[in-house]
Amino acid sequence: NAGVTQTPKFQVLKTGQSMTLQCAQDMNHEYMSWYRQDPGMGLRLIHYSVGAGITDQGEVPNGYNVSRSTTEDFPLRLLSAAPSQTSVYFCASSYSLGAGTVIYEQYFGPGTRLTVT
Amino acid sequence: GESVGLHLPTLSVQEGDNSIINCAYSNSASDYFIWYKQESGKGPQFIIDIRSNMDKRQGQRVTVLLNKTVKHLSLQIAATQPGDSAVYFCAENGGSQGNLIFGKGTKLSVKP
């Protein structure tokens, strides 16, 4: 298994540009999520999905969109990049017992380092 | 295990010593806790987890202790090695729909 894969690894955008960060997992996990990691801030949840066709907002969703058309893929879209979105982005997946129940151990991808100038 | 501003708490230990990393969690309703290790430039990696019906769980060279009374979690690493140098995060499933809430991390440095 490749686990959780993310592309690209690095990206530089200009303010106002849009882009999509790709995330895929081959473990048949129902639950997938996107986090951003800023220095001294730990990991903050952007959006998550408990299954194909279902997405929901996390702690810091503004400026980001997601979709979940398949179990395997969970892309994150930046609609109009801003310098405040400079961060490292991690995708993660896990088994779960369904919406409203415990999320188990999450497997993380290697991250995408995004700089917005 | 909590940081202020941009500075992570740092724990520096001698190789071979035992390390203890602490974490205060936020939600008394959380019933599942995880410790992650993050090496520079990589994604977090699962170390060990514990459910709220336990107060101690052991893995290979690692032990997690849970004190629900004071909402405290600790990670003990036995015979710390240079490869243990990393940032360690605790997480609890106290978010909506059981989402994980992460602590801000503690940086462990191992001196040879």
Side-chain angles (χ1 to χ4, degrees), chain B residues 10-69:
Chain B
T10 299
L11 175 65
S12 185
V13 301
Q14 203 71 37
E15 182 178 358
D17 287 351
N18 296 334
S19 303
I20 300 176
I21 301 171
N22 296 305
C23 175
Y25 64 91
S26 59
N27 190 340
S28 56
S30 295
D31 62 3
Y32 179 65
F33 306 87
I34 308 176
W35 279 100
Y36 284 93
K37 172 186 180 183
Q38 186 177 26
E39 296 173 286
S40 181
K42 297 184 178 180
Q45 179 184 9
F46 172 87
I47 302 172
I48 191 168
D49 58 4
I50 189 168
R51 294 206 160 278
S52 60
N53 60 354
M54 304 172 69
D55 52 22
K56 180 179 180 179
R57 189 164 189 225
Q58 288 184 289
Q60 187 176 14
R61 278 201 310 120
V62 294
T63 301
V64 55
L65 298 178
L66 174 63
N67 185 330
K68 296 181 288 294
T69 303

Coordinates of all heavy atoms in Angstrom, one line a residue, chain B residues 10-69:
Chain B
T10 N 10.4 22.6 24.8 CA 11.5 21.7 24.4 C 12.0 20.9 25.5 O 12.1 21.4 26.7 CB 12.7 22.6 23.8 OG1 12.3 23.3 22.7 CG2 13.9 21.7 23.4
L11 N 12.2 19.6 25.3 CA 12.8 18.7 26.3 C 14.1 18.2 25.7 O 14.1 17.7 24.6 CB 11.8 17.6 26.5 CG 12.2 16.5 27.4 CD1 12.4 17.0 28.8 CD2 11.2 15.3 27.4
S12 N 15.1 18.4 26.5 CA 16.4 17.9 26.1 C 16.9 16.8 27.0 O 16.9 17.0 28.2 CB 17.4 19.1 26.1 OG 18.7 18.7 25.6
V13 N 17.2 15.6 26.5 CA 17.6 14.5 27.3 C 18.9 13.9 26.8 O 19.3 14.1 25.6 CB 16.5 13.4 27.4 CG1 15.2 14.0 27.9 CG2 16.3 12.8 26.0
Q14 N 19.6 13.2 27.6 CA 20.8 12.5 27.2 C 20.4 11.2 26.6 O 19.5 10.5 27.1 CB 21.7 12.3 28.5 CG 23.1 12.1 28.2 CD 23.9 13.3 27.8 OE1 23.6 14.4 28.2 NE2 24.8 13.2 26.8
E15 N 21.1 10.7 25.6 CA 20.9 9.4 25.0 C 21.0 8.3 26.1 O 21.9 8.4 27.0 CB 22.0 9.1 24.0 CG 21.8 7.8 23.3 CD 22.9 7.6 22.2 OE1 23.7 8.5 22.0 OE2 22.9 6.5 21.6
G16 N 20.0 7.5 26.1 CA 19.9 6.4 27.1 C 19.1 6.7 28.3 O 18.6 5.8 29.0
D17 N 18.8 8.0 28.5 CA 17.9 8.3 29.6 C 16.4 8.1 29.2 O 16.1 7.9 28.0 CB 18.1 9.8 30.0 CG 19.4 10.1 30.7 OD1 20.0 9.1 31.1 OD2 19.7 11.2 31.0
N18 N 15.6 8.2 30.2 CA 14.1 8.1 29.9 C 13.6 9.5 29.7 O 14.0 10.5 30.3 CB 13.4 7.4 31.0 CG 13.8 6.0 31.2 OD1 14.3 5.3 30.3 ND2 13.7 5.4 32.4
S19 N 12.6 9.6 28.8 CA 12.0 10.9 28.5 C 10.5 10.8 28.9 O 9.9 9.8 28.8 CB 12.0 11.2 27.0 OG 13.3 11.2 26.5
I20 N 10.0 12.0 29.4 CA 8.6 12.1 29.7 C 8.1 13.3 29.1 O 8.6 14.4 29.4 CB 8.3 12.1 31.3 CG1 8.8 10.8 31.9 CG2 6.8 12.2 31.5 CD1 8.7 10.8 33.4
I21 N 7.1 13.2 28.2 CA 6.5 14.3 27.6 C 5.0 14.4 28.1 O 4.3 13.4 28.1 CB 6.5 14.2 26.0 CG1 8.0 14.0 25.6 CG2 5.8 15.3 25.3 CD1 8.1 13.7 24.1
N22 N 4.6 15.6 28.5 CA 3.3 15.8 29.1 C 2.4 16.6 28.1 O 2.8 17.4 27.3 CB 3.5 16.6 30.4 CG 4.3 15.8 31.4 OD1 3.9 14.7 31.7 ND2 5.3 16.4 31.9
C23 N 1.1 16.4 28.4 CA 0.1 17.0 27.6 C -1.2 17.2 28.4 O -1.6 16.2 29.1 CB -0.2 16.2 26.3 SG -1.6 16.8 25.3
A24 N -1.8 18.4 28.4 CA -3.0 18.6 29.0 C -4.1 18.6 27.9 O -4.0 19.4 27.0 CB -3.0 19.9 29.8
Y25 N -5.1 17.8 28.0 CA -6.1 17.8 27.0 C -7.3 18.7 27.4 O -7.4 19.0 28.6 CB -6.5 16.4 26.6 CG -7.2 15.5 27.6 CD1 -8.6 15.5 27.8 CD2 -6.4 14.7 28.4 CE1 -9.2 14.7 28.7 CE2 -7.0 13.9 29.4 CZ -8.4 13.9 29.5 OH -9.0 13.1 30.4
S26 N -8.2 19.0 26.5 CA -9.2 20.0 26.8 C -10.6 19.6 27.0 O -11.3 20.2 27.8 CB -9.2 21.0 25.6 OG -9.6 20.3 24.4
N27 N -11.0 18.4 26.5 CA -12.4 18.1 26.5 C -12.6 16.9 27.4 O -12.1 15.8 27.1 CB -12.9 17.7 25.1 CG -14.4 17.6 25.0 OD1 -15.1 17.3 26.1 ND2 -15.0 17.7 23.9
S28 N -13.3 17.0 28.5 CA -13.5 16.0 29.5 C -14.3 14.8 28.9 O -14.4 13.7 29.4 CB -14.2 16.5 30.7 OG -15.4 17.1 30.4
A29 N -15.0 15.1 27.7 CA -15.8 14.0 27.1 C -14.9 13.2 26.1 O -15.4 12.1 25.6 CB -17.0 14.6 26.3
S30 N -13.7 13.6 25.9 CA -12.8 12.8 25.0 C -12.6 11.4 25.6 O -12.4 11.3 26.8 CB -11.5 13.5 24.8 OG -11.6 14.7 24.2
D31 N -12.7 10.4 24.7 CA -12.5 9.0 25.2 C -11.4 8.2 24.4 O -11.3 7.0 24.6 CB -13.8 8.3 25.3 CG -14.4 8.1 23.9 OD1 -13.8 8.5 22.9 OD2 -15.6 7.6 23.8
Y32 N -10.7 8.9 23.6 CA -9.6 8.3 22.8 C -8.5 9.3 22.6 O -8.8 10.4 22.2 CB -10.2 7.8 21.5 CG -9.3 7.2 20.5 CD1 -8.7 5.9 20.9 CD2 -8.9 7.7 19.3 CE1 -7.8 5.3 20.0 CE2 -8.0 7.1 18.5 CZ -7.5 5.9 18.8 OH -6.6 5.3 17.9
F33 N -7.3 8.8 22.8 CA -6.1 9.7 22.8 C -5.0 9.0 22.1 O -4.8 7.8 22.1 CB -5.7 10.0 24.3 CG -6.8 10.5 25.1 CD1 -7.6 9.7 25.8 CD2 -7.0 11.9 25.2 CE1 -8.6 10.1 26.6 CE2 -8.0 12.4 26.0 CZ -8.8 11.5 26.7
I34 N -4.3 9.9 21.3 CA -3.2 9.4 20.5 C -1.9 10.2 20.7 O -2.0 11.5 20.9 CB -3.5 9.4 19.0 CG1 -4.9 8.8 18.7 CG2 -2.4 8.8 18.2 CD1 -5.3 8.9 17.3
W35 N -0.8 9.6 20.6 CA 0.5 10.3 20.6 C 1.1 10.1 19.2 O 1.1 9.0 18.6 CB 1.5 9.8 21.6 CG 1.3 10.4 22.9 CD1 0.7 9.8 24.0 CD2 1.7 11.7 23.4 NE1 0.7 10.6 25.1 CE2 1.3 11.8 24.8 CE3 2.4 12.7 22.8 CZ2 1.6 12.9 25.5 CZ3 2.7 13.9 23.6 CH2 2.3 13.9 24.9
Y36 N 1.5 11.3 18.6 CA 2.1 11.2 17.3 C 3.6 11.8 17.4 O 3.9 12.7 18.2 CB 1.4 12.1 16.3 CG 0.1 11.5 15.7 CD1 -1.1 11.8 16.3 CD2 0.1 10.7 14.6 CE1 -2.3 11.3 15.8 CE2 -1.0 10.2 14.1 CZ -2.2 10.5 14.7 OH -3.4 9.9 14.2
K37 N 4.4 11.3 16.5 CA 5.8 11.8 16.4 C 5.9 12.4 15.0 O 5.5 11.8 14.0 CB 6.8 10.6 16.5 CG 8.2 10.9 16.2 CD 9.0 9.6 16.2 CE 10.5 9.9 15.9 NZ 11.3 8.6 15.9
Q38 N 6.5 13.6 15.0 CA 6.7 14.2 13.7 C 8.2 14.6 13.5 O 8.7 15.5 14.2 CB 5.8 15.5 13.5 CG 5.9 16.1 12.1 CD 5.0 17.3 11.9 OE1 4.6 17.9 12.8 NE2 4.6 17.5 10.7
E39 N 8.9 14.0 12.6 CA 10.2 14.4 12.2 C 10.2 15.5 11.2 O 9.3 15.7 10.5 CB 11.0 13.1 11.7 CG 11.1 12.0 12.7 CD 11.7 10.8 12.1 OE1 10.9 10.1 11.4 OE2 12.8 10.5 12.4
S40 N 11.3 16.2 11.2 CA 11.4 17.4 10.4 C 11.1 17.1 8.9 O 11.7 16.2 8.3 CB 12.8 18.0 10.5 OG 12.9 19.2 9.7
G41 N 10.2 17.8 8.3 CA 9.8 17.7 6.9 C 8.9 16.5 6.6 O 8.7 16.2 5.4
K42 N 8.4 15.9 7.6 CA 7.5 14.7 7.4 C 6.2 14.9 8.1 O 6.0 15.8 8.9 CB 8.2 13.4 8.0 CG 9.5 13.1 7.3 CD 10.0 11.8 7.8 CE 11.3 11.4 7.1 NZ 11.9 10.1 7.6
G43 N 5.3 14.0 7.7 CA 4.0 14.0 8.3 C 4.0 13.3 9.7 O 4.9 12.6 10.0
P44 N 3.0 13.6 10.6 CA 2.9 13.0 11.9 C 2.8 11.4 11.7 O 2.1 11.0 10.8 CB 1.7 13.6 12.5 CG 1.5 14.9 11.8 CD 2.0 14.7 10.4
Q45 N 3.4 10.7 12.6 CA 3.4 9.3 12.6 C 2.9 8.8 13.9 O 3.3 9.2 15.0 CB 4.9 8.8 12.4 CG 5.1 7.3 12.3 CD 6.5 6.9 12.2 OE1 7.4 7.7 12.3 NE2 6.8 5.6 12.0
F46 N 1.9 7.8 13.8 CA 1.3 7.3 15.0 C 2.4 6.5 15.9 O 3.2 5.8 15.4 CB 0.3 6.3 14.6 CG -0.3 5.4 15.6 CD1 -1.4 5.9 16.4 CD2 0.2 4.2 16.0 CE1 -2.0 5.2 17.4 CE2 -0.4 3.4 17.0 CZ -1.5 3.9 17.7
I47 N 2.3 6.8 17.2 CA 3.1 6.1 18.1 C 2.3 5.1 19.0 O 2.6 3.9 19.0 CB 3.8 7.1 19.1 CG1 4.7 8.1 18.4 CG2 4.7 6.3 20.1 CD1 5.2 9.2 19.3
I48 N 1.3 5.6 19.7 CA 0.6 4.8 20.6 C -0.8 5.5 20.9 O -0.8 6.7 20.8 CB 1.4 4.5 21.9 CG1 0.7 3.4 22.7 CG2 1.6 5.8 22.7 CD1 1.6 2.9 23.8
D49 N -1.8 4.7 21.2 CA -3.1 5.3 21.6 C -3.6 4.7 22.9 O -3.0 3.6 23.3 CB -4.1 5.1 20.4 CG -4.4 3.7 20.0 OD1 -3.8 2.8 20.7 OD2 -5.1 3.5 19.1
I50 N -4.6 5.3 23.4 CA -5.2 4.8 24.7 C -6.6 5.2 24.7 O -7.0 6.3 24.3 CB -4.4 5.2 25.9 CG1 -4.9 4.5 27.2 CG2 -4.5 6.8 26.1 CD1 -3.9 4.7 28.4
R51 N -7.5 4.3 25.2 CA -8.9 4.6 25.5 C -9.1 5.1 26.9 O -8.3 4.7 27.8 CB -9.7 3.4 25.1 CG -9.7 3.0 23.7 CD -11.0 2.3 23.3 NE -11.2 2.3 21.9 CZ -11.7 3.4 21.2 NH1 -12.1 4.4 21.9 NH2 -11.8 3.4 19.9
S52 N -10.2 5.7 27.1 CA -10.4 6.3 28.5 C -10.7 5.3 29.5 O -10.7 5.6 30.7 CB -11.6 7.3 28.4 OG -12.7 6.7 28.0
N53 N -11.0 4.0 29.1 CA -11.2 3.0 30.1 C -9.9 2.4 30.6 O -9.9 1.4 31.4 CB -12.1 1.9 29.5 CG -11.6 1.2 28.3 OD1 -10.5 1.6 27.8 ND2 -12.3 0.2 27.9
M54 N -8.8 2.9 30.2 CA -7.5 2.5 30.6 C -6.7 3.7 31.2 O -7.0 4.8 30.8 CB -6.7 1.9 29.4 CG -7.4 0.8 28.7 SD -6.5 0.3 27.2 CE -5.0 -0.4 28.0
D55 N -5.8 3.4 32.1 CA -5.0 4.5 32.6 C -3.5 4.3 32.2 O -2.7 5.2 32.4 CB -5.1 4.7 34.1 CG -4.9 3.4 34.8 OD1 -4.2 2.5 34.3 OD2 -5.3 3.4 36.0
K56 N -3.2 3.2 31.5 CA -1.8 3.0 31.1 C -1.8 2.0 30.0 O -2.6 1.0 29.9 CB -1.0 2.4 32.3 CG 0.4 2.1 32.0 CD 1.1 1.5 33.2 CE 2.6 1.2 33.0 NZ 3.3 0.7 34.2
R57 N -0.9 2.3 29.0 CA -0.8 1.3 27.9 C 0.7 1.3 27.5 O 1.3 2.4 27.4 CB -1.7 1.7 26.7 CG -1.7 0.7 25.6 CD -2.9 0.9 24.7 NE -2.9 -0.3 23.8 CZ -3.1 -0.2 22.5 NH1 -3.3 0.9 21.9 NH2 -3.2 -1.3 21.8
Q58 N 1.2 0.2 27.2 CA 2.6 0.1 26.9 C 2.8 -0.4 25.5 O 2.1 -1.3 25.0 CB 3.3 -0.9 27.9 CG 3.5 -0.3 29.2 CD 4.3 -1.2 30.2 OE1 3.8 -2.2 30.6 NE2 5.5 -0.8 30.5
G59 N 3.8 0.2 24.8 CA 4.2 -0.3 23.5 C 5.7 -0.7 23.6 O 6.3 -0.9 24.6
Q60 N 6.3 -0.7 22.4 CA 7.8 -1.0 22.4 C 8.5 0.3 22.8 O 8.5 1.3 22.1 CB 8.2 -1.4 21.0 CG 9.6 -1.9 20.9 CD 10.0 -2.4 19.5 OE1 9.2 -2.2 18.6 NE2 11.1 -3.1 19.4
R61 N 9.1 0.3 23.9 CA 9.9 1.4 24.5 C 9.0 2.6 24.9 O 9.5 3.6 25.4 CB 11.0 1.9 23.6 CG 12.3 1.1 23.7 CD 13.5 1.9 23.2 NE 13.3 2.5 21.9 CZ 13.4 3.8 21.7 NH1 13.6 4.6 22.7 NH2 13.2 4.3 20.5
V62 N 7.8 2.6 24.6 CA 6.9 3.7 25.0 C 5.7 3.3 25.9 O 5.3 2.2 25.8 CB 6.3 4.4 23.7 CG1 7.4 5.1 22.9 CG2 5.5 3.4 22.9
T63 N 5.4 4.2 26.7 CA 4.2 4.0 27.6 C 3.4 5.3 27.6 O 4.0 6.4 27.7 CB 4.7 3.7 29.1 OG1 5.5 2.5 29.1 CG2 3.5 3.5 30.0
V64 N 2.1 5.1 27.6 CA 1.2 6.3 27.7 C 0.4 6.2 29.0 O 0.0 5.1 29.3 CB 0.3 6.4 26.5 CG1 -0.5 5.2 26.2 CG2 -0.6 7.7 26.6
L65 N 0.4 7.2 29.7 CA -0.4 7.3 31.0 C -1.5 8.3 30.8 O -1.3 9.4 30.3 CB 0.5 7.7 32.1 CG 1.7 6.8 32.4 CD1 2.5 7.3 33.6 CD2 1.2 5.4 32.8
L66 N -2.7 8.0 31.3 CA -3.8 8.8 31.2 C -4.4 9.1 32.6 O -4.7 8.2 33.3 CB -4.9 8.2 30.3 CG -6.2 8.9 30.2 CD1 -6.1 10.3 29.6 CD2 -7.2 8.0 29.4
N67 N -4.5 10.4 32.9 CA -5.1 10.7 34.2 C -6.4 11.6 33.9 O -6.3 12.8 33.6 CB -4.2 11.5 35.1 CG -4.7 11.9 36.5 OD1 -5.9 12.0 36.6 ND2 -3.9 11.9 37.4
K68 N -7.5 11.0 33.9 CA -8.8 11.6 33.5 C -9.2 12.7 34.5 O -9.9 13.6 34.2 CB -9.9 10.6 33.3 CG -9.6 9.7 32.1 CD -10.7 8.7 31.9 CE -10.8 7.6 32.9 NZ -9.6 6.7 32.9
T69 N -8.8 12.5 35.8 CA -9.2 13.4 36.8 C -8.7 14.8 36.6 O -9.4 15.8 36.8 CB -8.7 12.9 38.2 OG1 -9.2 11.6 38.4 CG2 -9.1 13.8 39.3

